[in-house]
């Protein structure tokens, strides 16, 4: 029996509201994150991701009170990321009700953070988020919400994150983000073949066929999207029914 593929709405949070942009810029408001999260839970989303998208850049901590409100309102697993720099941040967010934490910039700067999280709380709690852009015939990882390029490649860093104990890789293609032309399926497939942990596809969803391609061509274990859900372009029940009819194993409500 194949594991069900997961549909994960992502809520980028800035100053307490959900925002969405294109290629990581030109942000526009999409509503209250707690209310949106509750709606997606009711519609059949498998998980949710809440990212404080400016936390690393501005040196802030993720809003713990929002996490508490989300935990009170929804009954599906959710991941929180943004501004997680040390194990105390993880403890605080898990105590507030988060099921998993997503680490990105801080883990790239200090890879031992992944070891610390997984040693204390287990691999299932640690999602390693990777923002990468295809530059000069290679995928390079970026820091601080896509602002600073590093010399680490996507494959190199994803393998190291797995080796350090990360439970999942959340790969966002900066080239595809918000453009709605489909996921970076070639890179996703390469990641899936090289790693043993689940790969979450992110960046590029524009129509329901893109999700199908991510699961078949890209071999992703989960597909994450934002604007197509936030702006009512794709309804989660319709998406899951479509995938089901195409033979993709999904959890139907």
């Amino acid at each position: 029996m194949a594991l069900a593929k997961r549909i994960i709405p992502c809520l980028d949070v800035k100053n307490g509201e959900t925002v969405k942009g294109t290629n990581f810029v030109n942000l526009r408001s999409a509503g209250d994150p707690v209310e949106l999260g509750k709606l997606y839970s009711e519609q059949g989303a498998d998980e949710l991701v809440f990212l404080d998208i400016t936390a690393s850049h501005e040196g802030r901590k993720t809003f713990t009170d929002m996490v508490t409100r989300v935990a009170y309102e929804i009954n599906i697993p959710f991941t929180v990321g943004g501004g997680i720099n040390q194990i105390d941040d993880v403890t605080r967010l898990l105590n507030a009700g988060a099921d998993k934490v997503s680490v990105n910039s801080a883990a790239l700067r200090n890879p031992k953070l992944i070891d610390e999280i997984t040693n204390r709380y287990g691999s299932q709690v640690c999602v390693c988020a990777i923002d990468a852009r295809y530059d000069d015939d290679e995928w390079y990882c970026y820091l601080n919400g896509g602002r600073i390029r590093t010399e680490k490649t996507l494959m190199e860093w994803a393998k190291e994150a797995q080796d350090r104990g990360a439970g999942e890789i959340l790969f966002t293609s900066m080239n595809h983000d918000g453009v709605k032309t489909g996921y970076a399926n070639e890179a996703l497939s390469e990641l899936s073949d090289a790693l043993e942990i689940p790969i979450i596809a992110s960046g590029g969803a524009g129509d329901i066929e893109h999700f199908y391609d991510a699961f078949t061509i890209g071999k992703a274990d989960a597909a994450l999207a934002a604007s197509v859900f936030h702006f009512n372009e794709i309804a989660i029940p319709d998406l899951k029914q479509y995938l089901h009819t195409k033979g993709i194993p999904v959890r139907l409500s």
Side-chain angles (χ1 to χ4, degrees), residues 185-221:
N185 292 316
E186 191 175 318
L188 284 167
S189 177
E190 192 177 343
L191 280 171
S192 182
D193 288 342
L195 304 185
E196 297 171 3
I197 58 177
I199 308 298
I200 304 170
S202 170
D207 58 47
I208 56 176
E209 288 84 4
H210 293 155
F211 290 85
Y212 177 76
D213 291 344
F215 293 136
T216 54
I217 303 169
K219 307 175 191 174
D221 300 277

Side-chain angles (χ1 to χ4, degrees), residues 16 58 105 137 147 150 181 192:
E58 297 171 8
S105 298
D137 298 323
R147 292 174 178 85
T150 73
T181 55
S192 182

